Amino acid sequence: MSQSPKQSAGRSVPTSADVARLAGVSRATVSYVLNNTAAVRISEPTRRRVREAAEELGYVPHAAARSLRAGHSRMVLMPTAHVPIGPLYSGFLNELQWALRRLDYTVVQYAGVGLEADEAARAWAELRPVAVVSLGRAGLTPSGVELLKRAGARAVITVGPQQIAGTHALVMDQTTVGRAAGAHLVERGCRAVGVVMPEEPGLEMFSVPRLDGVRAAAERAGATVVPLPLRYEEEPADRLAARWRELGLDGVFAYNDEYAMLLMRALQDAGIAIPEETAVVGSDDLVLGRLLRPRLSTVHIDMVRGQELAELVDRAVRDPEAAPERRELLASRIVRRESS
Amino acid sequence: MSQSPKQSAGRSVPTSADVARLAGVSRATVSYVLNNTAAVRISEPTRRRVREAAEELGYVPHAAARSLRAGHSRMVLMPTAHVPIGPLYSGFLNELQWALRRLDYTVVQYAGVGLEADEAARAWAELRPVAVVSLGRAGLTPSGVELLKRAGARAVITVGPQQIAGTHALVMDQTTVGRAAGAHLVERGCRAVGVVMPEEPGLEMFSVPRLDGVRAAAERAGATVVPLPLRYEEEPADRLAARWRELGLDGVFAYNDEYAMLLMRALQDAGIAIPEETAVVGSDDLVLGRLLRPRLSTVHIDMVRGQELAELVDRAVRDPEAAPERRELLASRIVRRESS
DNA sequence: TTGAAAGCGTTACCAT
DNA sequence: ATGGTAACGCTTTCAA
């Protein structure tokens, strides 16, 4: 079905051969000049002719052809799980990309939406990345990892709740977040602790381990824990607040500061005194927590710096045989303000 | 799993030739089978042998080689400007990627951090994308666009404040946001309007046009407009609030709902009555605005759906000669609550 | 039904 | 100091 030939958009894409022809030299010479190959010496007049020809044609080398020839690339693939991550994680992500660039890697975020597990791994493998940094549980199985490595990936790094065989892992143990909150609430005298569980999809990765952490801390002290599913909207929060007293909770961990704000407002409107009747703790230490009245107690999370992860990637690429590293990505500590 | 040849120095990546060898057929046959080429009929036993061989070797086709041969790809490049965009835009982005995938495009977010203008365009052009969707003012100049088109890009779409020569444009006219806020404040009787300008880098793209919009609406009515630089932190907000009365402002547009919350808290702590002494208007209609007391008036923004943009991309790719389209991406309307 | 071979744009080796 | 040429992995005529 060629109703219009490839050159329809004017001229066809210039190649190094075109540059060579225009400059009156061979393709090899063009390559030498444009790549500043040190091993060969090209006369200055020739260099200029080549450069001018390239400029005139608007020549840009073809990355695919280059890496095909080279047999490898410096592409780091970051499959993006499409979860609405907060400012904390997107900040980390930016830092990471920036650091990888400085190490001369090409960072490509690949949108593998709608693919399942090994199917996704296949799609990534087709791009022949030198490394894969998988955030969240982006459906990476051991066999997927194996596939990627066979396709030439020198390192697979997972950033998520657990380590996967054959990968380096930056473990984000979200249970520590819940544990910090739970321990604090118990210490403040709470005996019945609610835990807000966002109903928005994609957040289970964070919310479930956080709940587990609260459980671990609270139940050890003999307190009970009640999960509280909640959508991030005003009305569901009001409904929850309306039946608050019958729940009989004297403390609540609200998943993060935003949900804490939502819940606090609803509780206050319902006449629940904070922290006297119910203590509230959020997480992530966002600015908005300090703006609430009473000021919001929260769990502060120290993330590893993107720079560090970038260096791990680089190390792993340079030495693919090295034993998988495993590092804790975050440390949690409670920040007590007025709401607990 | 079965055999692990002792290529310890790095077992090589299996190619279609390896598959062909193992299956006892030619490379052509492998290609036919794995791509389900309709034009050729291959016997069922052969098909099975090929499939099994591919499976056993863990063969995955090489995307670069494929598109090199084909002369084109279905890669849509989205250079990511590293601005901390809010939930509104990241939601739009997700939707867009999802829609493009459904149209069988491979969406690649390329992290072009630290590159300038035409240098960035060159880097993008090396990937030979079929289309480029540039968000924000990711430094795309007319000559950059020309470069991309010469490199085979069939469509360049900008999503940002202004149209660039040779591109389809989804114009996000942020002045309408400011205009809506300004008109509302004036109508409420304000004569001296402050406009919060975030000092965080990368937000000028939104904040400056919004300021212009307020100016246009307010000054036409004879009101004065005062820009108020502000960092998103508690202390600067308190300092601003401390000198609020000398500023003599009776209304303020706070850039967005988050900055509005920050400012409102500082003003309330300083004893300024809202809206009696100063009316406050935010933007983006975030949930948190409804949680404030007084409830926050805001500018609601109707974004175009990602689906629509995806269809525009597809149309543009199919018919690169078509005249550039230009569409308004958003419509703004004031939502009056209690803070104004 | 299958195979041989050309060619996509690069770069590296080996001649000249 | 340059140029010829082969090869990277894949698809696709054309021929058998």
Side-chain angles (χ1 to χ4, degrees):
Chain A
M1 309 277 97
S2 59
Q3 71 176 38
S4 66
K6 264 194 205 85
Q7 302 89 337
S8 68
R11 326 143 263 259
S12 59
V13 184
T15 73
S16 72
D18 297 320
V19 177
R21 202 171 307 122
L22 182 57
V25 299
S26 75
R27 308 210 310 285
T29 306
V30 171
S31 175
Y32 292 144
V33 171
L34 264 33
N35 294 313
N36 284 316
T37 306
V40 207
R41 278 208 294 263
I42 308 281
S43 69
E44 198 48 48
T46 305
R47 302 186 96 92
R48 239 211 342 264
R49 282 215 316 284
V50 170
R51 291 227 168 79
E52 284 170 3
E55 178 73 20
E56 176 172 343
L57 292 174
Y59 168 73
V60 175
H62 193 308
R66 172 179 287 171
S67 69
L68 181 59
R69 163 68 220 213
H72 61 86
S73 73
R74 289 191 61 82
M75 177 174 106
V76 174
L77 191 67
M78 294 184 45
T80 59
H82 280 283
V83 285
I85 54 179
L88 202 65
Y89 291 93
S90 62
F92 168 72
L93 226 97
N94 281 357
E95 220 187 307
L96 171 59
Q97 302 200 11
W98 196 79
L100 282 171
R101 261 209 79 82
R102 294 198 4 142
L103 292 170
D104 201 33
Y105 290 98
T106 298
V107 181
V108 168
Q109 278 189 51
Y110 184 85
V113 215
L115 297 177
E116 273 319 309
D118 290 6
E119 192 184 357
R122 259 188 72 92
W124 305 339
E126 291 191 354
L127 302 181
R128 298 287 192 274
V130 69
V132 176
V133 178
S134 163
L135 292 115
R137 67 111 199 69
L140 199 50
T141 65
S143 71
V145 173
E146 181 55 29
L147 193 71
L148 285 168
K149 295 205 161 175
R150 287 188 88 87
R154 292 168 68 88
V156 179
I157 293 98
T158 56
V159 181
Q162 82 245 355
Q163 181 147 22
I164 293 178
T167 69
H168 301 262
L170 262 72
V171 181
M172 304 191 304
D173 185 3
Q174 299 283 340
T175 60
T176 67
V177 177
R179 204 171 275 127
H184 171 70
L185 286 169
V186 166
E187 196 225 344
R188 303 297 305 158
C190 297
R191 309 296 305 160
V193 176
V195 176
V196 171
M197 302 293 286
E199 286 183 328
E200 280 69 24
L203 261 39
E204 307 84 5
M205 177 180 119
F206 301 98
S207 63
V208 172
R210 288 183 182 188
L211 170 61
D212 292 341
V214 176
R215 279 226 164 88
E219 293 180 347
R220 182 168 47 181
T224 62
V225 170
V226 182
L228 304 168
L230 179 62
R231 255 185 312 144
Y232 190 63
E233 278 168 37
E234 222 179 343
E235 212 212 293
D238 287 340
R239 278 200 302 269
L240 176 58
R243 62 191 182 89
W244 195 257
R245 290 219 161 87
E246 53 188 88
L247 287 167
L249 301 172
D250 51 11
V252 59
F253 171 62
Y255 175 67
N256 74 5
D257 290 351
E258 291 179 323
Y259 281 85
M261 177 180 180
L262 176 67
L263 181 60
M264 264 180 62
R265 169 53 58 205
L267 291 180
Q268 288 174 325
D269 284 357
I272 315 282
I274 299 173
E276 293 77 12
E277 198 166 348
T278 297
V280 178
V281 173
S283 170
D284 295 6
D285 197 9
L286 303 182
V287 170
L288 74 77
R290 275 186 286 252
L291 304 179
L292 301 178
R293 298 296 180 266
R295 290 180 172 82
L296 181 64
S297 296
T298 189
V299 178
H300 180 91
I301 299 178
D302 286 311
M303 295 273 301
V304 149
R305 293 180 342 186
Q307 176 70 30
E308 290 183 60
L309 178 48
E311 281 160 11
L312 175 90
V313 171
D314 192 46
R315 267 200 311 279
V317 166
R318 294 178 119 88
D319 183 8
E321 301 299 322
E325 295 187 42
R326 181 186 199 280
R327 303 200 32 198
E328 288 299 328
L329 186 63
L330 50 82
S332 304
R333 66 169 197 276
I334 189 81
V335 176
R336 188 180 167 223
R337 299 210 182 93
E338 302 162 356
S339 68
S340 67
Chain B
M1 36 172 85
S2 55
Q3 53 182 0
S4 62
K6 37 91 185 128
Q7 286 139 345
S8 59
R11 44 192 178 195
S12 55
V13 183
T15 72
S16 73
D18 296 321
V19 177
R21 203 170 308 124
L22 182 58
V25 300
S26 75
R27 304 202 331 274
T29 307
V30 172
S31 175
Y32 292 143
V33 171
L34 295 180
N35 294 314
N36 285 317
T37 306
V40 199
R41 278 212 296 259
I42 309 280
S43 69
E44 198 47 50
T46 305
R47 303 187 94 92
R48 239 214 336 270
R49 282 215 315 286
V50 170
R51 291 228 169 78
E52 286 170 0
E55 177 75 19
E56 177 172 342
L57 293 174
Y59 169 74
V60 175
H62 193 308
R66 172 180 288 171
S67 68
L68 183 59
R69 163 69 220 217
H72 61 85
S73 74
R74 287 189 63 82
M75 177 175 107
V76 174
L77 190 66
M78 293 183 46
T80 58
H82 279 282
V83 285
I85 53 179
L88 202 67
Y89 292 93
S90 62
F92 169 72
L93 225 99
N94 282 357
E95 220 187 306
L96 171 60
Q97 301 199 13
W98 196 77
L100 281 171
R101 262 209 79 81
R102 293 199 6 144
L103 292 170
D104 200 34
Y105 290 98
T106 298
V107 181
V108 169
Q109 278 188 49
Y110 184 86
V113 214
L115 297 178
E116 273 320 311
D118 290 6
E119 193 184 357
R122 257 188 75 91
W124 306 340
E126 291 191 356
L127 301 179
R128 298 288 193 272
V130 69
V132 176
V133 178
S134 163
L135 293 112
R137 69 107 200 70
L140 200 50
T141 64
S143 70
V145 173
E146 181 55 27
L147 193 71
L148 285 168
K149 295 208 161 171
R150 286 185 89 89
R154 292 168 68 89
V156 179
I157 293 99
T158 56
V159 181
Q162 81 244 357
Q163 181 147 21
I164 293 178
T167 69
H168 302 263
L170 263 74
V171 181
M172 304 191 304
D173 185 3
Q174 298 284 341
T175 61
T176 66
V177 177
R179 203 172 275 126
H184 172 68
L185 286 170
V186 165
E187 195 224 344
R188 302 297 304 157
C190 297
R191 310 296 305 159
V193 176
V195 176
V196 171
M197 302 293 286
E199 286 183 327
E200 280 70 23
L203 260 41
E204 307 84 5
M205 178 181 119
F206 301 99
S207 62
V208 172
R210 287 183 183 188
L211 171 61
D212 291 342
V214 176
R215 278 228 164 87
E219 292 179 347
R220 183 167 46 183
T224 62
V225 171
V226 181
L228 304 168
L230 180 62
R231 256 186 312 144
Y232 190 63
E233 280 167 37
E234 224 180 341
E235 213 214 292
D238 287 340
R239 278 200 302 268
L240 176 58
R243 61 190 183 89
W244 194 256
R245 290 219 161 89
E246 51 188 271
L247 286 169
L249 301 172
D250 53 10
V252 58
F253 171 62
Y255 176 66
N256 75 3
D257 289 352
E258 290 180 323
Y259 281 85
M261 178 179 180
L262 176 67
L263 181 61
M264 264 179 63
R265 169 51 59 207
L267 291 180
Q268 288 174 324
D269 284 357
I272 314 281
I274 300 172
E276 294 76 12
E277 198 166 348
T278 297
V280 178
V281 173
S283 170
D284 295 7
D285 198 7
L286 303 182
V287 170
L288 73 78
R290 274 184 287 251
L291 305 178
L292 300 178
R293 298 296 180 267
R295 290 179 172 81
L296 181 65
S297 296
T298 191
V299 178
H300 180 92
I301 299 178
D302 287 311
M303 295 273 302
V304 149
R305 293 177 342 177
Q307 175 70 29
E308 290 183 60
L309 177 48
E311 281 160 9
L312 174 91
V313 171
D314 192 46
R315 268 200 311 278
V317 166
R318 295 176 118 87
D319 182 9
E321 300 300 321
E325 294 188 44
R326 182 187 197 281
R327 301 201 33 196
E328 287 298 327
L329 184 63
L330 49 81
S332 305
R333 66 171 198 275
I334 191 81
V335 178
R336 186 179 168 224
R337 300 212 180 93
E338 303 161 355
S339 69
S340 65

